[in-house]
Amino acid sequence: MSNVLAFNNSDDQPQRHRKPLPNDKSILLDNEQGFEVYNRELMRKVFPRIINEALDVVYADYKRKPEIRDVVAFYFLLQSYIDGNHKRADGSLNDRFGACFLNYETIQEHLRIDRSRINLLANVLETNGVIRTTGHYEGTKRFKWYFPSYCPRITDDGYIVNEFGEIVKPDFSAYQSKKKRT
């Protein structure tokens, strides 16, 4: 991997050439404030809001509250395993570009959490606009692909602003396991 900039000699203006980046990572890299390994506003505003809302609103009446803080570790695990290959070896576009497609067993090994918690954490992040998920089939086997956002727009009170300029307000029913919802 190279961090070398390509220059166009015709007008003596440096031009940056790089391979396509997954999801909205280019926004993070092109930010005038400089390169950040991760979006600090997620850690400063979004994750604390999610955790506080879960503990103070959704699970306020529970004697035993779930470890909602695991959303942070889950998010960074997903980011660590994103497929950054824009094209496949044969030159065709990679439909997994920008997706993390770890299976449940691997996520369980890394985070040491139960399989049902994986769905809960994914639902919490998705309803808050931090990730997008999609189901994918290969033959008869079903996979879940996670598309984490690198650099979402964030309000001062810790809400994600989607690509249409709308503030994403979470649906608190997504914080409940399927067993509790029914």
Side-chain angles (χ1 to χ4, degrees):
M1 180 169 208
S2 173
N3 292 330
V4 177
L5 298 177
F7 292 93
N8 181 350
N9 291 335
S10 63
D11 58 2
D12 293 326
Q13 294 291 329
Q15 287 190 339
R16 233 174 143 170
H17 296 283
R18 65 175 172 220
K19 66 180 184 175
L21 298 170
N23 305 336
D24 51 356
K25 188 174 184 179
S26 62
I27 296 170
L28 185 63
L29 296 176
D30 293 337
N31 189 323
E32 292 178 6
Q33 296 172 346
F35 173 79
E36 297 290 343
V37 176
Y38 65 94
N39 186 337
R40 291 187 279 186
E41 296 304 303
L42 281 170
M43 289 301 294
R44 293 177 179 167
K45 296 178 181 177
V46 177
F47 288 130
R49 180 197 50 82
I50 291 171
I51 293 165
N52 288 329
E53 281 180 349
L55 296 176
D56 297 342
V57 178
V58 180
Y59 305 120
D61 297 334
Y62 285 54
K63 286 185 180 183
R64 184 176 172 160
K65 299 177 187 332
E67 288 294 329
I68 196 67
R69 294 177 301 244
D70 290 342
V71 294
V72 179
F74 182 64
Y75 170 78
F76 283 108
L77 177 71
L78 297 179
Q79 279 214 338
S80 299
Y81 286 92
I82 286 178
D83 186 346
N85 297 316
H86 186 250
K87 295 194 176 182
R88 297 174 187 241
D90 65 3
S92 64
L93 291 178
N94 182 5
D95 56 345
R96 298 189 317 190
F97 178 62
C100 172
F101 47 92
L102 290 176
N103 59 36
Y104 285 111
E105 293 76 22
T106 305
I107 295 171
Q108 286 176 290
E109 288 172 19
H110 284 309
L111 298 179
R112 298 183 72 161
I113 60 175
D114 188 61
R115 183 183 180 119
S116 63
R117 300 244 325 117
I118 296 169
N119 282 330
L120 174 66
L121 296 173
N123 290 342
V124 168
L125 290 177
E126 188 166 28
T127 194
N128 280 282
V130 180
I131 68 170
R132 180 177 51 87
T133 63
T134 184
H136 179 75
Y137 287 90
E138 288 182 16
T140 58
K141 194 164 183 174
R142 184 176 188 272
F143 295 92
K144 191 167 192 176
W145 289 358
Y146 307 92
F147 293 86
S149 177
Y150 280 94
C151 188
R153 292 185 298 162
I154 300 169
T155 64
D156 288 338
D157 52 353
Y159 289 95
I160 302 294
V161 178
N162 68 17
E163 63 271 15
F164 305 110
E166 302 163 339
I167 294 174
V168 178
K169 295 284 186 171
D171 173 8
F172 290 137
S173 68
Y175 286 59
Q176 305 292 328
S177 67
K178 285 185 182 179
K179 293 177 191 174
K180 299 245 181 192
R181 279 187 237 165
T182 55

